[in-house]
Amino acid sequence: MCAAVLDEYCGSVFWNASYLNREDPDLPVCVEQTVLVWIPLGFLWLCAPWHLMPLCRRTQVGTKHLSKLYLCKQLVVSLLLLTAIAALAVTLGEDYGPDNDAPSTSKHPAVNYVNPVLYAVSWILLLLCQEGVRRRQGAVDSATLFLFWFLLILCDIFPFQTLLREALGKVRERTCNHHISTATFSQALDSSPCLSSMVMKGYKLPLVQEDMWELSEADSTAHINQCFQHFMQPELAAARRRLQNKMRKNPDKNRDKAQDVEKKKKKDKKEEEQNYPNSWLITTIYKTFKGVLIESAIFKLLQDLLAFVSPQLLKLMVSFTQDKSRHTWEGYLYAVLLFSVAILQSLFLQQYFQRCFVLGMKVRTAIMAAVYKKALLVSNDTRKESTVGETVNLMSADAQRFNDVTNFIHLLWSCPLQIILSIAFLWLELGPSVLAGLAVMVLMVPVNGLLATKARKIQIENMKYKDKRLKIINEILNGIKILKLYAWEPSFQTQVESIRGQELKVMKTFAYLTSVSTFIFSCAPALVSLATFAVFVGVSSENVLTAEKAFTSISLFNILRFPLAMLPMLIAAIVQTTVSRKRLEKFLGGDDLENDLVQHDPSFSMFTINIKPGRLVAVVGAVGSGKSSLISALLGEMHSSKGLINIQGSLAFVPQQAWIQNATLRDNILFGSLHEERRLQEVIQACALAPDLELLAAGDLTEIGEKGINLSGGQKQRVSLARAVYSQADIYLLDDPLSAVDSHVGKHLFDKVIGPNGLLRYKTRILVTHSVSFLPYVDEIVVLKDGVVSEVGTYKSLQTSRGAFSEVLNLYAGEQNNRSHSEEDTQPDSPLEDTISVTLKRESSLRRSQRNGRLVHSEMVSDRSELGLRVSKSPLLQKIIFTFFLLVKFSVYLQYLRAMGWGYSVMVFVVYFIQNIAFIGQNLWLSDWTNDAVDFQNMTYPTSKRDTRVGVFGALGVAQGLFVFLGTLLLANASVDASRIMHSELLNNILRVPMLFFDTTPIGRVVNRFAKDIFTIDEAIPQSFRSWIMCLLGVLGTLFVICLATPFFTIIIIPLALIYYFVQRFYIATSRQLRRLDSVSRSPIYSHFGETVSGLSVIRAYNHQERFLKHNEITIDENLKNVYPWIVSNRWLAIRLEFLGNLVVFFAALFAVVSRNSLNSGLVGLSISYALNVTQTLNWLVRMTSELETNIVAVERVSEYTKLENEAKWITDTRLPKNWPEEGRLQFEDYKVRYRPGLDLVLHGITCDIGSTEKIGIVGRTGAGKSSLTNSLFRIVEAAEGRILLDNIDISTIGLHDLRNNLTIIPQDPVLFSGTLRMNLDPFDKFTDEDLWRVLELSHLKDYVAGLQEKLEHEVTEGGENLSVGQRQLLCLARALLRKSRILILDEATAAVDLETDNLIQNTISKEFSHCTVLTIAHRLHSIMDNSRIMVLDAGKIVEFDTPSNLLEKKGHFYAMAKDAGITRENVTTL
């Protein structure tokens, strides 16, 4: 019925099957004029309303969007509109024109009128739609319009070829409107993604942050966080209610079960685990992102279903090549279908990945933002449960885990679906024999599981050794000065090497385990197909393996491999994420700070302490009496058990330990307030910061490192105070701000800022102080004792009352007198450091503050992420980074191969190559096997033949596995060798680098070489190297097989290879830089978070939570701007690569059709099933190349540190006399020294002669060159001119260790290393126990050590934390006593010990070292007044050198110093 209507409408037959059943098939014209016109136009009409909506809104649209592309599109559509009108006019003209004399029966059918009208309306619609797209905010292109054009072209192919046939003389009825297709081609090309421009840019130049696209509103942190919080609050509230209900029910249960103690213990543990609101995070994430989840699930489902279409098409293709009687066009149709299915699959898969990765990114962002927000509100009790590190971990590691799992969450249902479908299709092919193959696969799972658990145990052990090694390396680098002075490097080198040896042993075991699992994994496909095919042909002689069955099954098995490999990994990842989920739920569900604790109500008054506005109140008390707690309570940070705090006005807070942000000095002072230059300068002057700013090149715009690394303690405290003063609050809480500064600076600060005449004189100030000297000037004093207010009153009234206050006064007064004598030559609050470090640190901070990128080039490049500087601006730097990143030099790969050993490297390659040959051989054998089906078509299949087939097939499969196993083993050995060599070269060199290097290089950077880079060399490089070789050989093997089957294919290889090469070069350049930008922009997130957590009380006191939240959002957004293009760039690459892979499939199928007469069906099946697999392998190859290039940089970074210049040799051929130095006579002859070529001299020609056993004191102001003198003696710095003679031997001619072993120093900072006490005294085990006990007795430590459980084996923790500073100092004395050398240098470091211990040390030294030459660098003059002579240094020259009494008579430099210290001639007694 319907067909008849259409016949009349078209004026020809609508459908006739005979059209297809011939060599050149065609569609009837009627179908072309109806169905093929209606499909694209119908699609356009359906989608039009969506595009027309923006036209209805009244919005202003600027003409700036009228791009050339848009104008071209509109022009083309207008031309098409004209053709449609013209077609209608032609038809009308032919039917009703003046020259139309024929009878009216031969008029055109209705379709010739309807179609042009349809087209004309559609083109007008399209013009409007394109305008609508232009008006849409942020739209570039429209997918629906692209699909419309695509459909139009597809549907116009048939009319077009009809037109061609007509033109070529095969006359048919005229059809109109088919020249459209040519025009549409220009249109279809309009969809070029913006990423290509970024990829081009990234290829030509390194990308910088400014090149990244702005985020859309929906992807921004603020928006994601808002949505997440919206769903999180109700979920969390519900979880809290559940928890309360549970707690209400539980107490009775617990009482009943008290009998069974063990059970109860376990239960308690579980209770404790569950005593926070739980199981709400996952539902929140689901609710927040359910749209994207469902969308991606649909794409994944479509892709999974399409994956099973290819094997079916392959089956049809193989049967087509077997049956020579079928029309050729069928083959071409299958080839095109294979191509189309593959393309669709790629598109769906990439859409799915894009959504999943963006989803992962959003989940990570939501969690990071939530954790940050929580950290600002969290109560102190909850905060104390976890360290800053742990909290930062929540943000980095745990959020990242969620990100990783979300990427692949759909595999939870997709894997089982794929497995079920594969088995179903395989059952259809091979019947029950499939179960044999399946059984093998299922058996593999527990074996792999077993190996995985074993591997995890080994990994844990490995991490233990890694931590241990890094701990020692950290200590070595922190105490490198001491190691050099004592010549202890070899002992520590052996310690590290022994741990490294154990670590490598474990690594080897791990590598062997991996090779076993690789063996199993690579054998699996061969074994599975072997089991299946053997059972299939063995079950009955009827079953013959045909090419269709064999290769369809192999394609299906290939599909099966992926879900089976992924499921266990996914489950493991989910288990890990569960741990993260618990930690996050516990943290995010913790209690918030009680907001109502501090009230701001003017009607209240405080009853225990009432502080009136504008008063200065001092809070004093002994250590631990609760002074800081009082301040915390005022800030509302304490947990209140009862009582109220009422505060009127805004607060400013100066904490005891200054909190400094990683920002400019100005930003630290302004702290979010508006910048007023006059007020700023006033504050800087008052806080004594002006002299410091003069030293900094960039003044107050100097960038301050993390935790204020380039400021001294006193400077930090003053910046902290300046911040409070600038904030202009009403009430100031000052928690002992004067303790970190010197007395005269403290006085300045009190006068100019805090005191009755200071800047804050009209504000309310609460000052916690230990300094008695300021108390007379305060309005009121509050005395605390054991957490209770014991007295309140003015200075006078409290002094007379003889209470707790007067005790405090007497205690402090004594101390203060002592202290004032000792502070005679310290520079304003510089921590006592030797001048090298001071000069160099100062220099490096100056250099950093200029931010001009003049730092060593390669360092800069490899460590952007570690420098807290913003360096993307400098053009010079850009150039350097650019050249570096473009060429990971080939020599680096060679260097790694050399470290592995050439023999190993060649063998590995050869073995993998043979494995690949076995793989190809196995498949060729299979294709030959399937030809038996043709040879023995109507005969019984001989058993012997069958056994041979199965046997050889199996043998080749096992051979593959064995070769992979062998290759992996060889590679494991080789890479462990490489790791060993590279680490020991690095360590060896770092210990021999001059001290200068450590003074100018941040320790973190060196540690990073030992940590991250060595880790990469140990684990990442071997793995990516192996995958890379296997992928490369896999791709080459595939191409070889296809060429073998269809030699025509060789023509295509070269253009494909070229395209592939360029695509991956472009991609790798861009991807690597996006990764780099990602990691560079990620560290500020964590450092800002760490900073926030450590400065919480300050941020809350100033009420700046909102500002910090904002800042955090901006920082995360900056990172997202890099992650987002990285995700898109991966899709960009994948689409292009998969398209190449799909072309390989297409050409393999096409050539199989072309040469089908010369081919057997087995080879066709083989080449196409190979081609179907190539897409993934190509993808992997690029990933692996990119990964290998990224990882190999580690080799370069390590080798860079193995080539650093060394100090002089440790031991030279010059042998010394046996007991040298016997006399201990020192002579300096015109000795000059500078720290670095190009810097000024630090010592200007020192000449002096120090006799045997003389005791010399060395004094001078800071920077006079005192420490430089000792550094020269130990050759920490080498002479620029002149020489030092020790017992008439020039010290520059002997080995460093020969020299340093014969000198002894008791350093200023007592440095201890983690290890036993014995190791700290005698790392080389040279001395007996008696010797050790003797020196412990002399250094007054014997009783202490004897009282310890393990005595000499007592473990000292890192940096000697478990000993007091005084004990550490005494241990250093014991070291010196052990060495018994004739020359002793005291870098007088009794600052850290009490007076009693100081006396003990002095007595021991004068008694035990009476036969030695002793040089004392004095910080307190008292201690050297009994020395034989005193050397006064000034600006690197000796200005006075004589006995103390003579110097005092001279009234020169020394006299002035002595006078300052309160020393007169009366209290000098010469020896």
Side-chain angles (χ1 to χ4, degrees), residues 797-1007:
S797 66
L798 289 180
Q799 215 176 0
T800 49
S801 72
R802 295 261 167 237
F805 178 65
S806 47
E807 284 172 32
V808 173
L809 260 188
N810 298 336
L811 179 78
Y812 279 139
E815 269 188 33
Q816 292 256 317
N817 286 338
N818 290 345
R819 208 181 295 171
S820 59
H821 286 320
S822 66
E823 286 174 344
E824 102 287 337
D825 75 330
T826 46
Q827 192 191 14
D829 45 84
S830 73
L832 303 172
E833 286 178 292
D834 60 355
T835 336
I836 309 195
S837 327
V838 172
T839 337
L840 291 169
K841 275 180 192 155
R842 173 89 14 99
E843 235 181 68
S844 67
S845 71
L846 294 186
R847 227 178 1 188
R848 257 187 273 185
S849 51
Q850 293 159 4
R851 296 211 217 141
N852 56 3
R854 255 191 342 211
L855 296 129
V856 191
H857 116 213
S858 55
E859 220 10 287
M860 197 69 206
V861 170
S862 40
D863 282 320
R864 279 146 330 269
S865 49
E866 297 157 9
L867 276 172
L869 315 181
R870 304 170 190 166
V871 290
S872 58
K873 307 289 183 293
S874 136
L876 167 80
L877 201 67
Q878 294 254 334
K879 214 172 204 110
I880 293 170
I881 293 181
F882 166 50
T883 47
F884 178 83
F885 271 104
L886 221 55
L887 311 166
V888 170
K889 293 172 238 45
F890 188 60
S891 61
V892 182
Y893 291 100
L894 287 180
Q895 193 175 352
Y896 185 69
L897 292 176
R898 196 178 305 125
M900 278 175 32
W902 290 114
Y904 269 140
S905 307
V906 174
M907 271 156 65
V908 167
F909 198 79
V910 169
V911 167
Y912 278 130
F913 189 68
I914 299 174
Q915 176 260 331
N916 221 36
I917 292 174
F919 180 52
I920 293 170
Q922 185 190 26
N923 284 331
L924 287 172
W925 181 261
L926 179 66
S927 91
D928 196 42
W929 180 359
T930 58
N931 294 336
D932 290 355
V934 184
D935 301 344
F936 297 90
Q937 208 152 18
N938 299 320
M939 303 145 61
T940 43
Y941 193 53
T943 326
S944 58
K945 183 100 175 157
R946 183 189 75 200
D947 295 345
T948 320
R949 289 293 189 197
V950 172
V952 173
F953 185 75
L956 283 167
V958 175
Q960 271 179 72
L962 283 172
F963 280 118
V964 168
F965 181 55
L966 190 62
T968 320
L969 276 186
L970 287 169
L971 192 62
N973 280 329
S975 55
V976 167
D977 280 359
S979 293
R980 176 181 292 119
I981 289 169
M982 300 201 90
H983 182 271
S984 62
E985 279 181 355
L986 176 65
L987 178 67
N988 203 16
N989 204 56
I990 283 293
L991 289 175
R992 285 174 168 73
V993 167
M995 196 59 216
L996 177 81
F997 170 78
F998 297 101
D999 286 329
T1000 47
T1001 312
I1003 283 185
R1005 194 179 293 175
V1006 187
V1007 170

Side-chain angles (χ1 to χ4, degrees), residues 255-538:
R255 236 167 279 139
D256 308 339
K257 294 192 179 168
Q259 307 105 8
D260 193 345
V261 181
E262 269 311 298
K263 260 190 192 165
K264 184 155 180 6
K265 268 188 189 163
K266 282 181 191 163
K267 184 158 176 36
D268 274 357
K269 200 169 176 190
K270 193 140 196 183
E271 279 299 314
E272 193 212 14
E273 272 177 28
Q274 296 302 339
N275 67 359
Y276 56 90
N278 55 359
S279 16
W280 53 267
L281 186 60
I282 304 291
T283 41
T284 308
I285 290 176
Y286 168 72
K287 285 182 178 170
T288 314
F289 302 111
K290 77 177 163 235
V292 188
L293 266 169
I294 294 165
E295 249 178 58
S296 49
I298 294 167
F299 280 117
K300 181 68 178 149
L301 183 66
L302 289 170
Q303 193 263 332
D304 282 353
L305 296 176
L306 279 176
F308 291 98
V309 177
S310 299
Q312 302 311 313
L313 287 171
L314 172 66
K315 186 177 172 182
L316 293 169
M317 189 81 185
V318 173
S319 69
F320 160 75
T321 46
Q322 276 174 345
D323 181 359
K324 309 288 187 223
S325 63
R326 288 159 70 175
H327 299 306
T328 323
W329 66 266
E330 284 187 46
Y332 291 127
L333 179 68
Y334 294 144
V336 170
L337 278 175
L338 266 171
F339 185 54
S340 317
V341 166
I343 289 262
L344 278 176
Q345 211 181 323
S346 300
L347 288 172
F348 287 147
L349 183 65
Q350 298 317 320
Q351 287 289 346
Y352 152 74
F353 272 147
Q354 169 72 9
R355 278 168 179 69
C356 277
F357 277 97
V358 170
L359 174 68
M361 174 179 100
K362 286 183 171 175
V363 169
R364 188 187 107 205
T365 308
I367 290 174
M368 281 161 96
V371 167
Y372 189 88
K373 186 170 183 183
K374 183 69 185 180
L376 283 175
L377 306 171
V378 72
S379 70
N380 269 4
D381 301 346
T382 317
R383 184 170 137 211
K384 285 195 187 99
E385 284 170 18
S386 49
T387 62
V388 176
E390 283 170 343
T391 325
V392 173
N393 242 346
L394 287 175
M395 205 172 188
S396 53
D398 295 326
Q400 189 57 42
R401 270 209 190 127
F402 265 93
N403 180 1
D404 297 343
V405 164
T406 331
N407 290 346
F408 301 109
I409 196 75
H410 288 304
L411 294 180
L412 267 183
W413 58 263
S414 160
C415 283
L417 176 76
Q418 288 181 8
I419 293 171
I420 292 164
L421 284 173
S422 308
I423 294 170
F425 279 114
L426 278 166
W427 189 282
L428 295 175
E429 288 301 326
L430 303 172
S433 333
V434 174
L435 297 175
L438 197 67
V440 174
M441 280 188 159
V442 172
L443 280 174
M444 295 291 174
V445 175
V447 174
N448 267 338
L450 194 75
L451 288 171
T453 41
K454 189 93 181 87
R456 193 167 296 123
K457 272 187 196 150
I458 291 178
Q459 275 298 56
I460 290 169
E461 197 180 347
N462 192 9
M463 288 320 286
K464 208 170 66 191
Y465 287 128
K466 252 191 190 29
D467 292 347
K468 210 163 156 191
R469 174 170 61 86
L470 283 176
K471 187 170 149 204
I472 291 197
I473 282 184
N474 220 340
E475 292 202 342
I476 289 179
L477 294 173
N478 280 317
I480 187 81
K481 179 89 181 273
I482 299 299
L483 289 190
K484 286 195 180 303
L485 294 172
Y486 285 144
W488 276 1
E489 300 103 327
S491 156
F492 280 81
Q493 190 170 352
T494 44
Q495 272 187 55
V496 175
E497 291 286 9
S498 76
I499 292 176
R500 178 69 176 161
Q502 292 169 306
E503 187 187 346
L504 288 172
K505 216 191 231 148
V506 174
M507 253 174 61
K508 215 171 209 168
T509 322
F510 183 68
Y512 288 168
L513 241 178
T514 319
S515 43
V516 174
S517 64
T518 313
F519 166 65
I520 290 174
F521 194 69
S522 56
C523 270
L527 286 176
V528 169
S529 40
L530 172 68
T532 310
F533 295 151
V535 170
F536 178 69
V537 293

Side-chain angles (χ1 to χ4, degrees), residues 659-670:
W659 173 71
I660 302 291
Q661 278 184 287
N662 180 8
T664 61
L665 193 78
R666 177 185 293 175
D667 290 343
N668 265 296
I669 296 176
L670 297 183

Side-chain angles (χ1 to χ4, degrees), residues 17 20 85 167 529 587 796 1152 1407 1448 1471:
L20 292 180
I85 297 168
S529 40
F587 180 76
K796 291 257 166 34
K1407 202 157 74 217
L1448 285 175
L1471 276 174

Side-chain angles (χ1 to χ4, degrees), residues 66 108 261 264 460 563 602 736 741 761 817 877 879 918 928 1106 1150 1165 1203 1284 1349 1358 1430:
L66 290 172
H108 286 294
V261 181
K264 184 155 180 6
I460 290 169
D736 206 3
V741 295
R761 53 186 175 277
N817 286 338
L877 201 67
K879 214 172 204 110
D928 196 42
E1106 273 309 308
L1150 191 66
K1203 296 191 184 108
I1284 300 177
Q1349 213 172 355
E1358 199 168 339
I1430 287 176

